[in-house]
Amino acid sequence: MPTIMPSAPTMQVPIPEPPRVITTKDLSYLKDAMSWELIAFKKLHAFAQQATDPEVKQCLEKTGRMHQQHYQKLLTHLQNNNTAAMSAIPQVQSGQQQQQQQQMQ
Amino acid sequence: MPNQNQIANPQSGQLPQVKGPQMNDRDYLNDCLATCKYLTDSLNIAVREASHQQLHQDFLQMLNETHQSAREAYDLMFRKGWYKLEAAQQQQLQQAHQQFSGYSTQFPYH
């Protein structure tokens, strides 16, 4: 801790990269992608049951499984602990400064 | 006379002789391809807009796998003779090459 300038304003370390937080925008895209993945694998599963050619059946089945795996992968992102991630992030101080300025006025 | 520029397999997929309103194998595969193609568009936007690295990577991997999946459906349709391609005329190819070679005066890098 530097003691030379005790009254100096605390230097805020820049956040090195976007944190592992699901943003409002991420959430919109996740919900959108998952809705489409869900309908894709349900449909492909139904098609695979109906198809007669074994090669066609296998292709539909394989693609359906892939979409379900994608859905499950995206689901893990919805378990993100945003609260914990946010608590580790230095909060922008402009809010406090604004309050102080308002009190001064 | 068969078209000399056409690239296609003989139709080997089992399709009903008289086509009714029911979907057949070709329809299923076509819809599979269309679905994957649609999803690559959606995923591409998600890849571009993702906030943090891990999410970006996961979306990118899904985009790649979905492209591969669409390609497999397309390849299978081609093998079954459900996809026809047409070669461009040699002359048109040459003309385009000549035209775009002419633009080399505009190249900034030498």
Side-chain angles (χ1 to χ4, degrees):
Chain A
M1 268 296 255
T3 52
I4 307 157
M5 294 173 67
S7 60
T10 49
M11 291 292 282
Q12 189 180 308
V13 180
I15 304 168
E17 60 177 329
R20 291 196 62 161
V21 168
I22 297 298
T23 64
T24 52
K25 199 168 181 175
D26 291 334
L27 186 56
S28 297
Y29 283 115
L30 279 168
K31 285 163 77 176
D32 195 48
M34 291 177 75
S35 303
W36 286 106
E37 296 283 0
L38 177 66
I39 202 166
F41 66 75
K42 281 176 74 175
K43 184 169 69 176
L44 288 166
H45 178 70
F47 285 178
Q49 286 181 318
Q50 295 294 315
T52 50
D53 184 296
E55 271 190 299
V56 172
K57 226 177 167 66
Q58 199 200 348
C59 181
L60 296 167
E61 186 72 14
K62 186 183 172 189
T63 311
R65 280 183 194 281
M66 179 199 71
H67 287 303
Q68 188 181 317
Q69 279 164 9
H70 287 177
Y71 184 96
Q72 285 166 315
K73 185 80 174 170
L74 292 177
L75 199 58
T76 65
H77 282 282
L78 294 182
Q79 283 183 301
N80 196 62
N81 194 341
N82 263 16
T83 313
M86 284 307 290
S87 66
I89 292 165
Q91 289 304 304
V92 181
Q93 293 179 354
S94 62
Q96 289 175 4
Q97 285 168 353
Q98 276 171 3
Q99 271 185 346
Q100 283 172 353
Q101 279 170 356
Q102 279 166 355
Q103 281 167 358
M104 282 161 73
Q105 279 168 354
Chain B
M1 204 178 103
N3 184 350
Q4 288 298 305
N5 297 313
Q6 191 153 305
I7 307 158
N9 282 314
Q11 287 208 18
S12 65
Q14 303 155 16
L15 293 179
Q17 287 300 309
V18 180
K19 294 190 184 71
Q22 316 90 329
M23 286 180 76
N24 55 47
D25 279 12
R26 182 184 182 167
D27 297 328
Y28 295 141
L29 209 49
N30 224 333
D31 193 295
C32 176
L33 179 58
T35 301
C36 279
K37 283 165 88 167
Y38 174 79
L39 269 162
T40 53
D41 280 2
S42 303
L43 287 170
N44 192 45
I45 297 170
V47 168
R48 206 168 55 205
E49 301 292 332
S51 71
H52 66 267
Q53 185 61 17
Q54 189 58 53
L55 188 62
H56 171 77
Q57 280 303 329
D58 283 351
F59 272 133
L60 190 57
Q61 193 188 338
M62 280 175 215
L63 175 64
N64 199 8
E65 287 172 3
T66 308
H67 271 303
Q68 282 172 13
S69 215
R71 197 70 198 172
E72 280 170 29
Y74 164 77
D75 285 344
L76 183 56
M77 289 182 80
F78 180 76
R79 274 213 309 283
K80 295 281 176 196
W82 296 335
Y83 231 106
K84 287 182 183 61
L85 309 174
E86 193 185 343
Q89 296 285 344
Q90 189 63 48
Q91 196 196 351
Q92 290 178 330
L93 207 58
Q94 280 164 351
Q95 273 174 5
H97 181 262
Q98 204 169 19
Q99 182 190 349
F100 283 87
S101 295
Y103 297 157
S104 62
T105 53
Q106 301 174 44
F107 292 0
Y109 308 111
H110 294 287

